[in-house]
Amino acid sequence: MSLTRENTTWQSANGTWSIGFYEFQETGYGEDWDPEWDVEYSDDAFWFASTGHRNPDEAYAAYTRENPNPGGTTVLKYSAENRDEIARLDAMAQTLGQKRAALQKELDRAYRRRSFTRR
C-alpha cells in the first residue's frame, strides 16, 4: 500500500536536484485510525532522501520506484531567497546519508561475524 507523505524537492547550489521525505510519527489509534493521514511530521529530519539528480522529475522518480504514491511535493529552485532553506535541506539529506552509512557498517559487521560462525 502506498501512502501520501510530506516531502520537498529542491535544487542545490551546484544545480543538482534532490528530494526528501520528512520523518513522521503516527498519531491516531482506534477504529478511525488512518495510517496515511493520522501522522505528525518532523521538519528537521528526513526518513528518505535522494540527491544529485539532473532535474526534479528524476528526483521524484527516485522515490516512486519503490513508493508509487508520494502525493505532491514542494519545489524550491535555488535562489538567494531560498539559499538558507536549501542549505538546511542539504544538511538534513547529508545527515540521513551518514546515519544510513553507519547502520550499513554495523549490519555488514554483524553479517560477517555471523557468516563465519558455525553452529
Side-chain angles (χ1 to χ4, degrees):
M1 174 166 80
S2 62
L3 303 171
T4 298
R5 294 293 179 225
E6 293 291 323
N7 65 90
T8 300
T9 302
W10 70 95
Q11 184 182 34
S12 296
N14 67 6
T16 62
W17 288 86
S18 304
I19 191 167
F21 285 76
Y22 297 95
E23 284 187 352
F24 62 91
Q25 292 199 344
E26 296 174 344
T27 58
Y29 302 97
E31 60 187 66
D32 291 335
W33 177 69
D34 185 321
E36 184 165 23
W37 303 112
D38 291 337
V39 295
E40 288 184 8
Y41 291 96
S42 166
D43 66 352
D44 62 357
F46 291 134
W47 69 270
F48 175 92
S50 185
T51 61
H53 301 282
R54 292 181 295 177
N55 58 57
D57 291 335
E58 285 183 8
Y60 195 76
Y63 179 80
T64 59
R65 279 191 291 274
E66 295 181 29
N67 299 285
N69 180 24
T73 187
T74 300
V75 178
L76 293 175
K77 290 184 84 172
Y78 190 81
S79 69
E81 179 183 344
N82 294 330
R83 182 178 47 227
D84 291 345
E85 178 63 6
I86 287 170
R88 188 180 78 84
L89 296 170
D90 282 339
M92 287 169 45
Q94 184 178 17
T95 297
L96 177 61
Q98 291 167 346
K99 286 180 185 177
R100 286 189 171 169
L103 177 59
Q104 188 61 53
K105 274 185 167 179
E106 287 298 315
L107 290 172
D108 290 346
R109 278 196 288 263
Y111 178 76
R112 282 193 301 274
R113 283 193 304 268
R114 184 168 172 76
S115 294
F116 296 110
T117 303
R118 288 190 176 236
R119 292 181 183 231

